[in-house]
């Protein structure tokens, strides 16, 4: 796809009203969607020799967790993944202490983020918001509010392509175009990246590390992202609290009405369990 200069990109989006592709008006169709309708933007040429990644494993790793816990009460799979991918500065679970971290994936806006931000401000909690280009372009006021209120903005890729399904050169574009967009619009430099769908390989981890990014996965997630099939709030709150563990990295989706509703009780419940709902500090 030919890259379009940033000023022209904004004009195109204003003319189109930032509309989704035809047929994608139903929010459920947006879950996990690829947003190729967002035009690419110019980024500087790179002198990276991409052939250096050819010796690394290109097989897809789709992140998920088993039920086993280690002696510290942490998910054993996440602890092992931390060790396996330590050389690439990839994090799956935090230190085995009393800190837990809230992270939100924001692929599109479903009307819940303002209330989520209200709750975080009221509870004096800093979260990480992983955003895509579509989210940034359609919701600049919310992104600016996240920054102004002390939250961390993370890179969730430009178009939401699964990294192992595209070339390593294209992974570079997916990361660095969003990087350039945040720098241009908000003078904000991202340092955290979450691969779309939690799908990665050794090559993409190595590239992200080379670009100064830490790859952040998670040690807890649940079925919260389908806006047409939301979990019962009482059951969801219990599930989230029952699965609290030292160093937990919670993956929550901001499109979830349930997450918006239970967030105040979740934060207070974690505190009652003697956890600090901490600002991300695992760099």
């Amino acid at each position: 796809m030919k890259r379009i200069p940033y000023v022209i990109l904004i004009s195109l989006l204003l003319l189109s009203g930032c509309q989704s592709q035809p047929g994608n008006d139903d929010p459920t169709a947006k879950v996990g969607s690829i947003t190729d309708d967002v035009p690419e933007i110019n980024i500087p040429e790179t002198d990276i020799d991409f052939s250096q990644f050819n010796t690394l494993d290109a097989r897809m790793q789709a992140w998920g967790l088993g039920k086993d816990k280690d002696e510290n009460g942490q998910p054993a799979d996440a602890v092992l993944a931390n060790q396996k991918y330590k050389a690439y500065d990839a994090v799956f679970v935090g230190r085995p202490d009393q800190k837990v971290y809230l992270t939100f994936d924001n692929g599109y806006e479903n009307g819940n983020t303002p209330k989520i931000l209200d709750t975080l401000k009221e509870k004096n909690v800093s979260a990480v918001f992983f955003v895509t280009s579509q989210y940034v372009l359609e919701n600049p006021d919310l992104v600016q509010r996240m920054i102004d209120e002390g939250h961390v903005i993370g890179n969730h890729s430009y178009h939401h392509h699964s990294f192992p399904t595209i070339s390593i050169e294209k992974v570079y574009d997916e990361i660095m175009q969003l990087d350039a967009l945040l720098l241009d619009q908000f003078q904000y430099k991202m340092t955290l990246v979450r691969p779309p769908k939690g799908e990665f390989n050794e090559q993409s981890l190595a590239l992200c590390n080379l670009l100064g990014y830490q790859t952040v996965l998670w040690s807890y997630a649940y079925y919260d992202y389908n806006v047409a099939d939301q979990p019962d709030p009482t059951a969801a709150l219990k599930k989230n609290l029952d699965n609290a563990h030292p160093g937990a990295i919670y993956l929550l989706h901001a499109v979830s009405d349930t997450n918006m509703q239970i967030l105040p009780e979740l934060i207070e419940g974690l505190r009652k369990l003697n956890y600090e709902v901490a600002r991300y500090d695992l760099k």
Side-chain angles (χ1 to χ4, degrees):
M1 182 184 295
K2 183 178 179 181
R3 295 181 187 169
I4 300 175
Y6 184 78
V7 173
I8 298 176
L9 167 62
I10 295 299
S11 299
L12 288 172
L13 288 167
L14 289 173
L15 287 171
S16 67
C18 298
Q19 294 299 311
S20 301
Q21 293 178 346
N24 281 356
D25 293 334
D26 180 0
T28 60
K30 295 183 179 180
V31 175
S33 64
I34 295 172
T35 55
D36 277 335
D37 53 324
V38 179
E40 297 188 34
I41 63 173
N42 279 328
I43 54 176
E45 293 293 328
T46 180
D47 60 359
I48 293 175
D49 177 9
F50 291 101
S51 67
Q52 67 182 288
F53 301 103
N54 292 344
T55 60
L56 301 178
D57 195 346
R59 291 175 296 179
M60 177 186 290
Q61 304 296 319
W63 180 237
L65 289 159
K67 295 182 179 181
D68 293 340
K69 302 289 182 67
D70 71 0
E71 66 275 11
N72 295 314
Q74 295 187 299
D77 290 342
V79 174
L80 290 173
N82 271 5
Q83 297 168 356
K84 182 176 181 179
Y85 298 112
K86 182 179 180 180
Y88 304 120
D89 195 22
V91 175
F92 298 77
V93 65
R95 294 175 287 267
D97 56 24
Q98 289 304 108
K99 291 183 179 181
V100 299
Y101 307 92
L102 300 184
T103 72
F104 293 87
D105 281 5
N106 288 59
Y108 70 95
E109 177 55 33
N110 193 38
N112 293 327
T113 305
K115 179 60 177 176
I116 289 171
L117 289 171
D118 289 346
T119 297
L120 295 173
K121 184 175 183 179
E122 177 188 344
K123 301 296 183 182
N124 195 27
V125 169
S126 170
V128 182
F129 291 91
F130 289 96
V131 299
T132 63
S133 62
Q134 183 177 41
Y135 190 90
V136 172
L137 292 165
E138 293 183 353
N139 305 279
D141 291 346
L142 286 176
V143 175
Q144 187 63 60
R145 183 180 171 188
M146 293 171 189
I147 296 169
D148 291 344
E149 295 184 0
H151 302 293
V152 180
I153 309 297
N155 193 325
H156 200 37
S157 82
Y158 197 81
H159 292 116
H160 204 262
H161 288 279
S162 170
F163 288 171
T165 67
I166 58 178
S167 69
I168 194 66
E169 292 88 351
K170 184 61 179 175
V171 174
Y172 174 86
D173 286 346
E174 286 290 299
I175 297 167
M176 295 310 295
Q177 287 187 63
L178 189 62
D179 190 284
L181 184 61
L182 267 291
L183 280 172
D184 186 281
Q185 278 208 342
F186 304 97
Q187 297 74 56
Y188 185 91
K189 180 66 178 80
M190 296 179 292
T191 60
L192 307 180
V193 59
R194 173 166 287 161
K197 305 177 184 179
E199 295 174 349
F200 63 92
N201 55 24
E202 191 179 14
Q203 292 184 351
S204 67
L205 294 181
L207 175 62
C208 290
N209 187 36
L210 180 66
L211 296 174
Y213 272 89
Q214 180 182 71
T215 300
V216 181
L217 277 298
W218 59 85
S219 61
Y220 173 75
Y222 80 118
Y223 181 75
D224 64 344
Y225 51 83
N226 188 341
V227 299
D229 184 23
Q230 282 291 283
D232 171 74
T234 300
L237 178 62
K238 184 177 187 304
K239 186 179 183 71
N240 278 269
L241 292 175
D242 285 350
N243 283 278
H245 53 269
I249 300 175
Y250 278 77
L251 164 58
L252 303 169
H253 286 85
V255 298
S256 167
D257 293 343
T258 294
N259 285 342
M260 177 190 67
Q261 181 175 338
I262 70 172
L263 185 59
E265 295 172 281
L266 174 60
I267 292 170
E268 289 305 320
L270 289 168
R271 288 170 171 167
K272 289 178 181 178
L273 293 172
N274 295 318
Y275 289 105
E276 175 189 353
V277 187
R279 179 179 176 83
Y280 190 86
D281 62 357
L282 299 176
K283 287 290 287 179

